[in-house]
Amino acid sequence: MMGVKSAGFARRSDESEHHVDKAIKKRRCRRRVTIQLKRPPENVPLVSNTLQQLFESCNRAFKGPGTVPCASDVQNLCRILDGMKPEDVGLSKDLHFFKPKTEIDRAPRVTSATIYKCDKFELCIFFLPETAVIPLHNHPEMTVFNKLLLGTMHIKAYDWVDPLSSDCSISPTKFLDVDGSSVRLAKLKANTTFTAPCDSSVLYPTSGGNIHEFTAITPCAVLDVIGPPYSKDDGRDCTHYQEVHGLLDSEEIRKVREGRYGWLKETEIPKESEMDRIEYMGPQINNPSNS
């Protein structure tokens, strides 16, 4: 979910607090979701001007399927995201979930919450416990902005090698590996660890690290802006990939061994890609179109 530049939730009332507790207890019966929320101080605003500004800028920037935001809109969205703080979505590093070395009595599992979603774009947050992984996956025909709000995360990202403009001597065309699966050459765009606060990042449909993997070094929260959202009906389904090692043995693939390139093949949806979902209860967006 993250390209790389070259380089939960505030409870709003006793009623909403009860609602969140009830929702989490219901989830725990199956998967024991461990994100623990708490009421913010009385002086925490119920509306985030920065979140509202992000929403309004997204409304202008994203024009729908088959389009990419113009350069000035990309720059503006990055500027807003660079200035966003955890409090803008009701988060705090003091929440139990973000405490280091928190005991987890199950395999680490990612949790997500949707802030807003329409046909043109989606705003959502992903919570990764320590050591949790969002495996290699793509965002077909999408432009995605990412902002690491809390924690330390390792990101590995690839783009497909273009046969017509590649500077690599290795043929990027597909071929079959030992188990009969098609394998394709990709160029490594990032293999780096990031710690919040840090700048936002952006990926495009065919560049910026469209195929990427997140690994939480510490408990993390990542804000994603995705335009347009995934849609199976419109052909924008998520595909997962697996790195293939030791495929060939010749001088020609020296660059692959050095880590500049990698062989990827499609794989079944990994078990660790399954996510829990909770309701977003942070500062709300004022959307006049829903009035």
Side-chain angles (χ1 to χ4, degrees):
M1 294 174 302
M2 181 174 286
V4 179
K5 294 178 183 178
S6 301
F9 306 101
R11 293 176 178 168
R12 292 172 285 121
S13 66
D14 289 339
E15 180 180 357
S16 62
E17 179 178 359
H18 174 73
H19 177 77
V20 173
D21 285 339
K22 184 176 180 180
I24 290 180
K25 287 177 181 178
K26 183 177 180 181
R27 295 283 187 184
R28 278 178 175 161
C29 292
R30 292 181 294 151
R31 296 172 184 152
R32 298 183 182 178
V33 176
T34 57
I35 296 178
Q36 296 183 10
L37 313 180
K38 65 178 182 180
R39 183 178 303 167
E42 292 297 329
N43 60 350
V44 172
L46 301 183
V47 176
S48 165
N49 291 332
T50 307
L51 180 60
Q52 184 67 31
Q53 185 181 13
L54 176 64
F55 166 76
E56 293 171 358
S57 296
C58 286
N59 256 337
R60 293 189 294 268
F62 291 102
K63 309 299 183 183
T67 65
V68 174
C70 67
S72 60
D73 284 334
V74 169
Q75 184 177 16
N76 184 49
L77 286 171
C78 285
R79 178 186 59 80
I80 296 170
L81 286 165
D82 288 348
M84 289 198 73
K85 300 178 180 179
E87 292 76 13
D88 290 317
V89 291
L91 292 176
S92 167
K93 63 182 180 181
D94 295 328
L95 289 173
H96 181 70
F97 178 80
F98 298 105
K99 297 294 184 181
K101 298 181 180 179
T102 299
E103 292 294 329
I104 300 176
D105 59 356
R106 60 179 176 83
R109 191 178 177 102
V110 179
T111 301
S112 68
T114 298
I115 300 174
Y116 177 84
K117 184 177 182 179
C118 65
D119 292 339
K120 296 193 300 181
F121 67 93
E122 178 180 5
L123 307 179
C124 55
I125 304 174
F126 295 92
F127 299 93
L128 288 80
E130 185 176 346
T131 74
V133 177
I134 299 180
L136 276 174
H137 65 284
N138 68 344
H139 287 269
E141 301 179 24
M142 305 178 197
T143 304
V144 183
F145 297 79
N146 307 106
K147 172 65 175 180
L148 181 61
L149 295 169
L150 288 166
T152 297
M153 173 182 291
H154 182 268
I155 301 165
K156 195 169 191 178
Y158 290 96
D159 286 327
W160 294 125
V161 170
D162 185 345
L164 300 179
S165 61
S166 173
D167 61 354
C168 178
S169 62
I170 312 165
S171 172
T173 56
K174 292 182 179 180
F175 65 95
L176 299 180
D177 73 347
V178 292
D179 69 359
S181 301
S182 295
V183 179
R184 186 174 174 184
L185 186 66
K187 186 170 184 177
L188 187 67
K189 304 299 292 186
N191 191 16
T192 311
T193 297
F194 296 86
T195 298
C198 57
D199 288 344
S200 58
S201 58
V202 56
L203 66 85
Y204 298 92
T206 59
S207 64
N210 192 282
I211 304 169
H212 51 259
E213 174 183 86
F214 293 166
T215 302
I217 308 301
T218 69
C220 296
V222 184
L223 171 64
D224 266 19
V225 179
I226 306 172
Y230 284 112
S231 172
K232 290 184 179 181
D233 293 339
D234 297 321
R236 295 189 306 276
D237 197 7
C238 179
T239 301
H240 289 83
Y241 297 91
Q242 177 183 339
E243 295 172 302
V244 179
H245 302 286
L247 195 59
L248 295 175
D249 186 15
S250 70
E251 185 62 25
E252 186 185 36
I253 62 168
R254 176 178 55 83
K255 290 182 179 179
V256 174
R257 289 176 177 157
E258 291 174 348
R260 293 179 58 188
Y261 294 86
W263 298 103
L264 305 181
K265 70 175 181 179
E266 293 186 16
T267 186
E268 297 294 328
I269 299 176
K271 184 177 181 180
E272 59 267 32
S273 70
E274 297 179 1
M275 298 185 187
D276 294 310
R277 299 187 184 278
I278 60 174
E279 183 179 359
Y280 172 73
M281 297 295 290
Q284 299 298 294
I285 290 171
N286 178 21
N287 184 10
S289 63
N290 290 340
S291 301

